[in-house]
């Protein structure tokens, strides 16, 4: 059974008197522990689909089922709680908090996810995850002293520190060069495999596709092939 | 996770600037408040030092105390009925010292009462400020409208009226100087409801002070400055936090995206506001209290701890409102918008 399913998702915007349909009845399902890549040209609706899946914006129509529950019926607070506890996010840019050290970024995420562990256990966990992403030696550094690749590693660590069920990655390598992109994707692959995290990733970089278990191609708000 | 503290620690200069502005505005407010109270004391200590009670003057005087003239029979009947009450008069005038130097004073005379200094004919009790300007006990002072002389019997603390030191004189001397036989005012101590007397109008102490136009104008101007400063500090908070929030919209969006509650972001802002305000106000309160104790005698400065506390609370409240008002942006921030904006 799929962990995450999207059924007949539609999204439209009204621009003046013109109604623009971005998603035209998309169906999608994510299997546990696998990486699914959404590809397509700009404006195909892949990022919109990802943000609807992640609960960052509502669909105009359709259902989003996670662990059998219909998220479209949830209140904003319930969706926030799901995002905090069950989802992880990696964006095109790292979006780290400028005044927190690497270790504190992860501590913040554990607080947000309302981790029941005590401080000592939390620190131990942070140490393990930072080791996994190769950033343990920079745990006291602020984002301003990190390179682009290092920031993205920390962002990945922040996205998985609370052991989410689903990781949403929106163009996670778009701001990196080819070598760093591959490093980051290898890292995402490793950590999601290690922690059995289901991943939905948007990318336009074909070099990243070999890392995915499933590839869904989108065009004009519809799934062309999967 | 103490995000508020971490941000302040990392961005010291930014918060130091806000703290300095709050400190300067609150210090200015405390100082002006101290001066307002000091001037008020200088203007009305004679009345302010009276216990709670009601002051009566004739209705005909139309709230101008020196036009009031209370009928002797009415005065007697009231004083018989209220043994602690007192009739008194105030007139501005001059005293000449032994060098012929003229001193501006407020002459006060009263019926026998513990509320006012009573002296025998030919004697005067003066406010302490005149001792500081060279007059001593036993000195002989004169007045152009008085045939006899006035011998200084003693001094009293903080007894001023209309910015002039009070000179307590005997009723007979007063009557000779001002060619009047009736008293201007009646004071009945006590906190009970006001009593009606035919032809008399009653005032609380504060209401009476408001009938003195110079006092009213002076206090209104100073109070206006104080409340403007308080309002400005509130606006400063709103503007400063608004600017900070505009810069942090991306950050707030990301934090919201990963699941941080909007209330947590508000709490972060309130904590910062509270920390800055409490620190800045504490420093300015200490400085103004030190000035209160060390201010030169000639400077009319009087700042009580109650006033300082009250103004501090108002500052905190205004800061809270200002910061919260600017925080409406936090509520409006859409995570998606922040993600699409690029690196924060």
């Amino acid at each position: 059974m799929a962990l995450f399913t999207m059924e007949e998702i539609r999204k439209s915007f009204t621009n003046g008197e013109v109604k623009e349909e971005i998603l035209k009845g998309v169906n999608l399902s994510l299997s546990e522990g696998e990486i699914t890549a959404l590809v397509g040209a700009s404006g195909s609706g892949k990022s919109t689909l990802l943000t609807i899946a992640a609960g960052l914006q509502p669909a105009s129509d359709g259902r989003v089922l996670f662990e059998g529950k219909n998220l479209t019926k949830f209140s904003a607070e319930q969706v926030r709680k799901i995002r905090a506890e069950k989802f992880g996010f990696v964006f095109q840019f790292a979006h780290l908090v400028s005044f927190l050290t690497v270790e504190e970024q992860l501590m913040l995420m554990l607080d947000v996810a309302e981790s029941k562990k005590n401080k000592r256990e939390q620190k131990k966990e942070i140490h393990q995850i930072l080791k996994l992403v190769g950033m343990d030696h920079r745990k006291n550094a602020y984002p301003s002293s990190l390179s682009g690749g290092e920031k993205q590693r920390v962002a990945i660590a922040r996205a998985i520190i609370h052991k989410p069920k689903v990781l949403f990655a929106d163009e996670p390598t778009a701001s990196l060069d080819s070598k760093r992109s591959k490093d980051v994707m290898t890292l995402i692959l490793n950590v999601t495999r290690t922690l059995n995290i289901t991943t939905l990733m948007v990318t336009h970089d074909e070099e990243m596709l070999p890392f995915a278990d499933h590839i869904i191609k989108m065009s004009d708000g519809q799934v062309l092939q999967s | 996770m103490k995000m508020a503290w971490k941000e302040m620690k990392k961005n010291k200069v930014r918060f130091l600037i806000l703290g300095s502005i709050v400190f300067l505005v609150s210090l200015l407010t405390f100082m002006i408040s101290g001066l307002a109270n000091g001037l008020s004391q200088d203007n009305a200590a004679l009345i302010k030092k009276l216990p709670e009670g009601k002051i009566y003057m004739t209705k005909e005087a139309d709230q101008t105390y020196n036009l009031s003239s209370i009928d002797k029979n009415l005065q007697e009947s009231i004083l018989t009925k209220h043994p602690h009450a007192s009739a008194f008069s105030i007139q501005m005038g001059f005293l000449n010292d032994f060098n012929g130097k003229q001193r501006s004073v407020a002459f006060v005379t009263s019926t026998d009462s513990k509320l006012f200094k009573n002296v025998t004919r030919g004697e005067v009790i003066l406010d302490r400020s005149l001792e500081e300007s060279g007059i001593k006990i036993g000195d002989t002072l004169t007045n152009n409208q008085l045939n006899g002389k006035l011998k200084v019997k003693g001094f009293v603390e903080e007894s001023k009226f209309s910015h002039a030191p009070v000179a307590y004189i005997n009723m007979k001397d007063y009557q000779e100087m001002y060619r009047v036989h009736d008293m201007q005012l009646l004071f009945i101590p006590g906190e009970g409801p006001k009593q009606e007397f035919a032809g008399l109008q009653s005032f609380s102490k504060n209401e009476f002070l408001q009938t003195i136009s110079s006092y009213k104008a002076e206090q209104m101007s100073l109070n206006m400055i104080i409340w403007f400063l308080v309002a400005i500090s509130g606006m400063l908070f709103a503007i400063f936090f608004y600017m900070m929030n505009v810069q942090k919209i991306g950050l707030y969006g990301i934090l919201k995206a990963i699941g941080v509650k909007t209330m947590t972001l508000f709490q972060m802002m309130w904590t910062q506001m509270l920390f800055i305000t409490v620190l800045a106000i504490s420093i300015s309160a200490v400085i103004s209290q030190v000035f209160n104790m060390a201010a030169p005698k000639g400077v009319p400065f009087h700042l009580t701890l109650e006033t300082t506390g009250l103004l501090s609370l108002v500052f905190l409240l205004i800061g809270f409102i200002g910061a919260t008002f600017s925080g409406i942006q936090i509520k409006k921030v859409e995570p998606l918008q922040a993600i699409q904006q690029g690196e924060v």
Side-chain angles (χ1 to χ4, degrees), chain A residues 6-10 24-27 61-63:
Chain A
M6 297 177 89
E7 295 173 356
E8 281 301 306
I9 296 297
R10 291 177 187 277
K24 300 166 181 171
V26 175
N27 292 298
D61 201 9
R63 296 201 309 164

Side-chain angles (χ1 to χ4, degrees), chain B residues 37-280:
Chain B
N37 286 336
L39 283 168
S40 161
Q41 283 292 114
D42 213 41
N43 211 342
L46 174 77
I47 303 299
K48 285 190 162 189
K49 279 177 78 177
L50 289 173
E52 276 311 305
K54 296 280 183 288
I55 296 171
Y56 294 83
M57 69 169 89
T58 57
K59 282 180 183 164
E60 280 177 356
D62 197 19
Q63 304 197 357
T64 309
Y65 77 91
N66 44 11
L67 295 181
S68 174
S69 178
I70 296 171
D71 177 72
K72 218 166 186 63
N73 292 331
L74 179 61
Q75 177 186 311
E76 285 308 319
S77 77
I78 293 171
L79 292 183
T80 311
K81 205 170 158 191
H82 299 277
H84 298 295
S86 174
F88 67 104
S89 290
I90 310 166
Q91 280 290 353
M92 303 309 291
F94 298 97
L95 279 173
N96 303 313
D97 65 14
F98 54 93
N99 292 322
K101 191 177 173 187
Q102 232 175 28
R103 314 275 187 164
S104 176
V105 293
F107 287 109
V108 175
T109 191
S110 68
T111 53
D112 273 350
S113 166
K114 285 179 183 171
L115 302 170
F116 299 95
K117 297 290 168 192
N118 296 119
V119 288
T120 56
R121 252 204 118 159
E123 286 181 338
V124 64
I125 290 178
L126 301 168
D127 176 67
R128 180 78 63 196
S129 60
L130 285 171
E131 186 183 32
E132 284 149 18
S133 62
I135 294 174
K136 298 185 292 295
I137 291 175
D139 280 358
T140 305
L141 307 173
T142 57
N143 179 280
N144 298 344
Q145 292 154 281
L146 185 70
N147 287 327
K149 290 179 177 177
L150 293 167
K151 192 176 174 186
V152 180
K153 192 188 168 194
F155 295 97
V156 282
E157 303 297 334
E158 284 183 27
S159 199
K160 289 197 162 187
F161 187 80
S162 196
H163 299 296
V166 165
Y168 292 97
I169 54 173
N170 184 270
M171 204 186 295
K172 297 279 179 205
D173 289 331
Y174 184 92
Q175 286 168 347
E176 184 188 330
M177 282 161 70
Y178 294 103
R179 312 280 190 268
V180 288
H181 292 280
D182 293 335
M183 292 298 215
Q184 292 166 342
L185 303 160
L186 263 166
F187 178 71
I188 303 178
E191 290 183 359
K194 65 178 181 185
Q195 298 176 54
E196 295 292 336
F197 300 109
L200 297 187
Q201 189 174 358
S202 88
F203 301 85
S204 67
K205 285 198 298 177
N206 198 38
E207 285 166 350
F208 175 74
L209 291 173
Q210 296 305 318
T211 67
I212 306 167
S213 48
S214 65
Y215 177 89
K216 195 177 166 185
E218 186 181 271
Q219 289 300 305
M220 256 177 75
S221 312
L222 290 164
N223 283 329
M224 240 170 82
I225 295 171
I226 291 167
W227 293 113
F228 263 121
L229 285 171
V230 169
I232 285 168
S233 70
M235 281 189 268
L236 268 174
F237 268 110
I239 293 165
F240 193 89
F241 276 102
Y242 176 83
M243 283 162 65
M244 285 220 302
N245 288 339
V246 165
Q247 288 173 351
K248 294 199 294 191
I249 276 179
L251 170 69
Y252 289 145
I254 297 304
L255 290 174
K256 276 188 171 186
I258 64 171
V260 175
K261 290 178 190 167
T262 304
M263 185 46 78
T264 306
L265 300 175
F266 267 95
Q267 281 166 352
M268 179 177 158
M269 187 182 65
W270 286 329
T271 307
Q272 290 168 343
M273 186 282 302
L274 198 71
F275 180 81
I276 293 166
T277 316
V278 168
L279 191 69

Side-chain angles (χ1 to χ4, degrees), chain A residues 53-116:
Chain A
L56 292 169
Q57 64 170 323
S60 304
D61 201 9
R63 296 201 309 164
V64 178
L65 299 166
F66 170 63
E67 292 180 328
K69 292 168 198 151
N70 185 359
L71 297 192
T72 48
K73 300 278 181 210
F74 277 28
S75 69
E77 174 54 22
Q78 284 172 314
V79 173
R80 182 205 64 77
K81 213 167 156 53
I82 293 275
R83 279 208 310 269
E85 293 171 7
K86 304 281 174 92
F87 294 171
F89 296 91
V90 180
F91 308 107
Q92 182 177 345
F93 298 99
H95 289 302
L96 299 176
V97 181
S98 64
F99 50 84
L100 298 181
T101 63
V102 167
E103 190 180 38
E104 287 164 353
Q105 309 272 350
L106 273 56
M107 193 70 88
L108 166 69
M109 195 58 232
L110 286 175
D111 281 351
V112 172
E114 293 176 16
S115 166
K116 302 278 184 290

